[in-house]
Amino acid sequence: MFTTPYPETSWQIPWLHSLFGNAAAVATGVAAAMRRKGKPEIRVVCQGGDGGTTDIGFGCLSGMFERNDDVLYICYDNQAYMNTGIQRSSATPPAARTATTQAVGAEPGNVFGTGKNLPLIAMAHNIPYVATAGVADLRDLEAKVTRAMSIHGARYIHVLVPCPLGWGMPSHDTVRVGRLAVESGFFPLFEAEHGVVTASTPIRHRLPIDDYLLAQRRFAHLYHDGKPVDGRVARLQAMADENIRRFNLLRAEETEL
Ligand SMILES: Cc1ncc(C[n+]2csc(CCOP(=O)(O)OP(=O)(O)O)c2C)c(N)n1
Ligand SMILES: [Mg+2]
């Protein structure tokens, strides 16, 4: 919405807004209309936040994947419903403080063992292309969009986008924190085709999860005087370690996956 405040638009191509819940279905319809009009060369890109993608529009998106509709769907994941006031989404990581997962009670912040991993769910639909990307390496993002646009059928790119207000960090740290998410292993960068991982970006300088968590006030309740207050930091570290193992992120050189 911020790119198109009436009567202006920053898009120099045709665009339309859908409802929150039906973005993927609307994109499917546009692609079908273009096909029917004999203009299959017109490509359709659909964009949504993590709330719109992982929760509210999830059913329509799964349908779009399942039918292998010719649409590239891009999710900008800032890990909560940010423009309505930082409510938890199913992309909010464990322990994170949001307006609806306050840092109080027996398990402060977002509950462990909840949420969903949309890139892996997209892969489970066996669609032609799935990728994750971040804001710290724009060449990587560009290459993945270019690759996605060279393919037909349902494609999905999941971009981790730090939210200074929601994550509790200065705006000028956006790229740094985005890089820490990747270099700690907490957010793996990879590509997959037809459900199989085909590439992943190795971590150049592996960093402890503390570097990522301590940079954000949404995780401040996990530490006292810079030291973890309980075992939850270790659980988050274990999640990063599991990503590193699963996506082979610490290899010395490129190897076949
Ligand atoms: C069906 C529906 N439910 C709820 C809303 C209210 N709403 C508007 S924006 C928003 C949050 C969006 O979160 P996300 O998709 O993650 O985007 P962000 O603001 O974080 O970029 C919500 C809940 C709505 N517009 N439509
Ligand atoms: Mg969001």
Coordinates of all heavy atoms in Angstrom, one line a residue, residues 21 23-25 46 52-54 57-67 73 75 118 122 125 154-156:
G21 N -6.4 -11.7 2.0 CA -6.4 -13.2 2.0 C -6.3 -13.9 0.6 O -6.0 -15.1 0.5
A23 N -4.4 -12.8 -2.4 CA -3.4 -12.3 -3.3 C -3.0 -13.3 -4.4 O -3.0 -13.1 -5.6 CB -2.2 -11.8 -2.6
A24 N -2.7 -14.5 -3.9 CA -2.3 -15.6 -4.8 C -3.4 -16.0 -5.8 O -3.1 -16.3 -7.0 CB -1.8 -16.8 -4.0
A25 N -4.6 -16.0 -5.3 CA -5.7 -16.3 -6.2 C -5.9 -15.3 -7.3 O -6.2 -15.6 -8.4 CB -7.0 -16.6 -5.4
C46 N 3.5 -11.6 -7.6 CA 2.6 -11.3 -6.5 C 3.5 -11.1 -5.2 O 4.4 -11.8 -5.0 CB 1.7 -12.5 -6.3 SG 0.5 -12.4 -5.1
G52 N 0.4 -11.9 5.6 CA -0.5 -12.2 4.4 C -0.1 -13.6 3.8 O -1.0 -14.3 3.3
T53 N 1.1 -13.9 3.9 CA 1.6 -15.1 3.2 C 1.4 -16.4 4.0 O 0.8 -17.4 3.6 CB 3.1 -15.0 2.8 OG1 3.2 -13.8 2.0 CG2 3.6 -16.2 2.1
T54 N 2.0 -16.3 5.3 CA 2.0 -17.6 6.1 C 0.7 -17.8 6.8 O 0.4 -19.0 7.2 CB 3.2 -17.6 7.1 OG1 2.9 -16.6 8.1 CG2 4.5 -17.2 6.4
G57 N -3.3 -15.5 3.8 CA -3.4 -15.9 2.4 C -2.9 -17.2 2.1 O -2.7 -17.6 0.9
F58 N -2.6 -18.0 3.2 CA -1.9 -19.3 3.0 C -2.7 -20.3 2.2 O -2.1 -21.0 1.3 CB -1.6 -19.9 4.4 CG -0.9 -21.2 4.4 CD1 0.4 -21.3 3.9 CD2 -1.5 -22.3 4.8 CE1 1.0 -22.5 3.9 CE2 -0.9 -23.6 4.8 CZ 0.4 -23.7 4.3
G59 N -4.0 -20.4 2.4 CA -4.8 -21.4 1.6 C -4.7 -21.1 0.1 O -4.5 -22.0 -0.7
C60 N -4.9 -19.8 -0.3 CA -4.9 -19.5 -1.7 C -3.5 -19.7 -2.3 O -3.4 -20.1 -3.4 CB -5.3 -18.0 -1.9 SG -7.0 -17.7 -1.6
L61 N -2.5 -19.4 -1.5 CA -1.1 -19.6 -1.9 C -0.8 -21.1 -2.2 O -0.2 -21.5 -3.2 CB -0.1 -19.0 -0.9 CG 1.4 -19.1 -1.3 CD1 1.7 -18.4 -2.6 CD2 2.3 -18.6 -0.2
S62 N -1.2 -21.9 -1.3 CA -1.0 -23.4 -1.4 C -1.8 -23.9 -2.7 O -1.2 -24.7 -3.4 CB -1.6 -24.1 -0.2 OG -1.5 -25.5 -0.3
G63 N -2.9 -23.3 -2.9 CA -3.7 -23.7 -4.2 C -2.9 -23.3 -5.4 O -2.8 -24.0 -6.4
M64 N -2.3 -22.1 -5.4 CA -1.5 -21.6 -6.5 C -0.3 -22.5 -6.8 O 0.0 -22.8 -7.9 CB -1.1 -20.1 -6.2 CG -0.4 -19.4 -7.3 SD 0.7 -18.1 -6.7 CE 2.3 -18.8 -6.9
F65 N 0.3 -22.9 -5.7 CA 1.5 -23.8 -5.8 C 1.0 -25.2 -6.4 O 1.6 -25.7 -7.3 CB 2.1 -24.1 -4.4 CG 2.9 -23.0 -3.8 CD1 3.1 -22.9 -2.5 CD2 3.4 -21.9 -4.6 CE1 3.9 -21.9 -1.9 CE2 4.1 -20.9 -4.1 CZ 4.4 -20.9 -2.7
E66 N -0.1 -25.7 -5.8 CA -0.5 -27.0 -6.1 C -0.9 -27.1 -7.6 O -0.7 -28.1 -8.3 CB -1.7 -27.4 -5.2 CG -2.4 -28.6 -5.5 CD -3.6 -28.4 -6.4 OE1 -4.3 -27.4 -6.3 OE2 -3.7 -29.3 -7.3
R67 N -1.5 -26.0 -8.1 CA -1.9 -26.0 -9.6 C -0.8 -25.6 -10.5 O -0.9 -25.6 -11.7 CB -3.1 -25.0 -9.8 CG -4.4 -25.4 -9.1 CD -5.5 -24.3 -9.4 NE -5.1 -23.0 -9.0 CZ -5.4 -22.4 -7.9 NH1 -6.1 -23.1 -7.0 NH2 -4.9 -21.2 -7.6
Y73 N 5.7 -15.6 -6.6 CA 5.2 -15.0 -5.4 C 6.4 -14.7 -4.5 O 7.3 -15.5 -4.2 CB 4.3 -16.0 -4.6 CG 3.6 -15.4 -3.4 CD1 2.2 -15.2 -3.5 CD2 4.3 -15.1 -2.3 CE1 1.5 -14.6 -2.4 CE2 3.6 -14.5 -1.2 CZ 2.2 -14.3 -1.3 OH 1.6 -13.7 -0.2
C75 N 7.5 -13.2 -0.8 CA 7.1 -12.9 0.6 C 8.2 -12.0 1.2 O 9.4 -12.4 1.2 CB 6.9 -14.1 1.4 SG 6.7 -13.8 3.1
L118 N 7.7 -21.4 5.7 CA 7.1 -21.4 4.3 C 7.9 -21.9 3.2 O 7.4 -22.6 2.3 CB 6.5 -20.0 4.1 CG 5.1 -19.9 3.8 CD1 4.7 -20.4 2.4 CD2 4.3 -20.6 4.9
A122 N 6.6 -24.6 0.8 CA 6.5 -24.4 -0.7 C 7.2 -25.6 -1.4 O 6.7 -26.1 -2.4 CB 7.2 -23.1 -1.1
H125 N 5.3 -28.7 -2.1 CA 4.4 -28.7 -3.2 C 5.1 -29.1 -4.5 O 4.4 -29.1 -5.6 CB 3.8 -27.3 -3.4 CG 2.8 -26.9 -2.3 ND1 3.3 -26.5 -1.1 CD2 1.5 -26.8 -2.3 CE1 2.2 -26.2 -0.3 NE2 1.1 -26.4 -1.0
A154 N 4.7 -22.2 -10.9 CA 4.7 -21.5 -9.6 C 6.1 -21.4 -9.0 O 6.8 -22.4 -8.9 CB 3.8 -22.3 -8.6
R155 N 6.4 -20.2 -8.6 CA 7.7 -19.9 -8.0 C 7.6 -19.1 -6.7 O 6.7 -18.3 -6.6 CB 8.6 -19.2 -9.0 CG 9.0 -20.0 -10.2 CD 9.1 -19.2 -11.5 NE 7.7 -18.8 -11.9 CZ 7.4 -17.7 -12.5 NH1 8.3 -16.7 -12.7 NH2 6.2 -17.4 -12.9
Y156 N 8.5 -19.3 -5.8 CA 8.3 -18.7 -4.5 C 9.7 -18.2 -4.0 O 10.7 -19.0 -3.9 CB 7.8 -19.7 -3.5 CG 7.6 -19.1 -2.1 CD1 6.6 -18.1 -1.8 CD2 8.4 -19.4 -1.0 CE1 6.4 -17.6 -0.6 CE2 8.3 -18.9 0.2 CZ 7.3 -18.0 0.5 OH 7.1 -17.5 1.7

